Amino acid sequence: MPPPNEGHNEPLSYEEVCAIKDDLQSKLNGKTPEIGIVLGSGLGGLGEHIEDAVFVDYKDVKHFPLSTVIGHKGRFICGTFAGREVLCMQGRFHCYEGHPIHLTVLPIRVMSLLGINSLILTNAAGGLNESFHVGDLMIIKDHINLAGMVGCMNPLIGPNEPRYGGERFIPTSQSYDKEYGQMFKSAANELGLSDAIKEGVYVFLSGPCFETIAEVRMLKTMGADAVGMSTIPEVLVAVHCGMRVLGVSLITNEAVSSYESTAVANHEEVLQTGRKRAEDMVKLVKEFLTQLK
Ligand code: HPA
């Protein structure tokens, strides 16, 4: 089996990331995307709605890791969606696949170098908040970077590279763009989907195990509303690059917190819920982009 990251265990230099950007750009047929979209587990269907599309497999981009997760196609789609030029990722990279954290965020750095300033991140997450239902969409208003806080899994560890835009110590208290959150809510109102919209705190764990009951109880006590294995490293790099971020979690399953429960989390349920909500996500992102100036 090939290593998922071509053996790039050391962080890439700024010049190397620029070369990767040039390589991807040369494959985009002259398109100049202005908005980045990352599609999480089961949500890749939005990519099929992009018009005038150019497809670039991750395996064809210099130094790019391979996406190994079932339900992640592993390619960029660049084209027009809601009248905007977008660069969409059908599938992302996770630490649990064995990728070093700096490679999981490489696409965000590349997007920033391509001139993308607005980023929409979606993911599948387990619901911790008892008022949430499977199929709800949680606008991420804040996060707890648990894996990053206690496990050195923070993509900004290492020498700071100011050419990306950010300083050594960046504030993260305004990571999620409030206006974008409001616009996503109003898109849901327009579409009659407001009952499914929630807002909350996402907690990032390394995975790949789903949580134990004791862990779920701990996460609830911490104030987290949804739990997942992605997104936050991307958010941190996006903030470091000065991008505006919208994060949306699809609640694909209820995180089990009772010893009496016989339910167990599983990836098939995650994918199935994603497929059920996929069309609504397409409409919501389309309406959001229509509102985006
Ligand atoms: N836990 C962690 N990550 C997840 C879950 C979960 O329950 N559901 C989807 N991603």
Side-chain angles (χ1 to χ4, degrees), residues 41 123-128 202-203 205 207-211 216 219 226-230 250-256 265-267 270:
S41 293
N123 62 44
L128 297 166
Y202 177 95
V203 59
L205 307 185
C209 304
F210 290 113
E211 302 69 39
V216 169
L219 299 173
V227 53
M229 308 173 192
S230 70
L250 170 63
I251 306 302
T252 52
N253 58 289
E254 202 180 303
V256 180
N266 65 86
H267 190 55
V270 170

Side-chain angles (χ1 to χ4, degrees), residues 15-95:
E15 287 72 19
E16 283 172 307
V17 179
C18 287
I20 295 168
K21 184 272 287 181
D22 290 343
D23 185 46
L24 176 61
Q25 199 164 30
S26 72
K27 298 180 163 93
L28 297 182
N29 289 357
K31 292 183 188 295
T32 52
E34 37 170 354
I35 295 150
I37 307 177
V38 180
L39 299 172
S41 293
L43 292 166
L46 187 146
E48 317 302 331
H49 295 257
I50 294 173
E51 291 159 20
D52 194 17
V54 174
F55 300 88
V56 183
D57 289 342
Y58 299 154
K59 68 173 170 38
D60 297 329
V61 183
K62 194 175 177 165
H63 296 325
F64 246 61
L66 299 176
S67 177
T68 65
V69 188
I70 294 170
H72 286 238
K73 276 213 165 123
R75 64 183 183 182
F76 285 107
I77 309 180
C78 189
T80 310
F81 187 63
R84 311 298 293 257
E85 287 266 294
V86 301
L87 181 62
C88 183
M89 291 182 70
Q90 259 181 339
R92 55 152 59 85
F93 306 112
H94 307 82
C95 294

Side-chain angles (χ1 to χ4, degrees), residues 15 20 24 40 70 100 111 135 137 163 165 169 177 217 284 291:
E15 287 72 19
I20 295 168
L24 176 61
I70 294 170
M111 284 183 182
L137 293 164
R163 284 175 287 181
F169 301 105
D177 193 282
R217 290 178 175 194
L284 280 162
Q291 289 182 30

